[in-house]
Amino acid sequence: MNREGYSFIPKYINAFWVNNSLFLEESYIPGKTLDEIIRNDLKERKQVMSNFKNILLIIHKLHKFDDYIIHDISPANIIFKRFYLIDFESFSKSEVKVSTLYGTRGFFDNDYDMNDQTIDYFALARVYYFLRNAKEYRQLSEKRQSFQLTDSEIQKNLWFKKCMNHSYKNDEDWLVDYEKYVGIKQ
């Protein structure tokens, strides 16, 4: 993945295991994670939301040209100044049978057992939701067992609903609907 045109991914340095956990050592990327931004900075949160389509385009590039599924998209794994994705320990080729699918709690659909692009759509819709609802994000990250998605406006949004239901069949429809239902309303 460390090749020209992929400047949105830090340079891989090393990987190592501690007990049963895989760690990746990557080059340092300046900026804040979306996790930090959601918790602390309303102005920067609005800036991220107004540029959110850029992260969708990054995911589209990985889907279309490399056929990769990221699996673990969450606010802690996205750095913003420009957008960077980090923590690639669980990405895989699309439609490849993998024994275990997992991701960050709250950004992964435990009831969905397919390895397809809709896993990433689901996670990105959740990231967008929590950018709009920082209080609920803080509740989620405080390890509460359950949480409710309460933003009724976004719950009615067709793009969000289709992401949550794994209804998209391709990135093109996903991106068009984002523009149609989310992009102009930010």
Side-chain angles (χ1 to χ4, degrees), residues 63-74:
H63 287 174
K64 183 173 182 161
F65 297 109
D66 294 301
D67 199 30
Y68 283 122
I69 307 300
I70 306 305
H71 294 276
D72 196 10
I73 298 172
S74 71

Side-chain angles (χ1 to χ4, degrees), residues 4 10 50 52 77 81 89 91 99 122 167-168 172 179:
E4 194 172 316
S50 68
F52 196 75
N77 292 340
K81 197 57 169 171
E89 75 275 3
F91 80 104
S99 59
F122 179 93
S167 299
Y168 284 108
E172 289 74 19
E179 280 297 314

Side-chain angles (χ1 to χ4, degrees), residues 26-72:
E26 302 169 327
S27 60
Y28 175 75
I29 301 292
K32 294 179 184 174
T33 65
L34 294 190
D35 177 80
E36 295 170 289
I37 292 169
I38 292 171
R39 291 173 188 275
N40 302 313
D41 196 333
L42 177 62
K43 182 179 175 187
E44 215 165 0
R45 230 173 45 228
K46 288 181 179 182
Q47 186 180 5
V48 170
M49 288 189 324
S50 68
N51 291 288
F52 196 75
K53 186 173 181 189
N54 292 337
I55 190 75
L56 275 62
L57 293 172
I58 288 170
I59 299 303
H60 172 62
K61 183 174 186 173
L62 290 169
H63 287 174
K64 183 173 182 161
F65 297 109
D66 294 301
D67 199 30
Y68 283 122
I69 307 300
I70 306 305
H71 294 276
D72 196 10

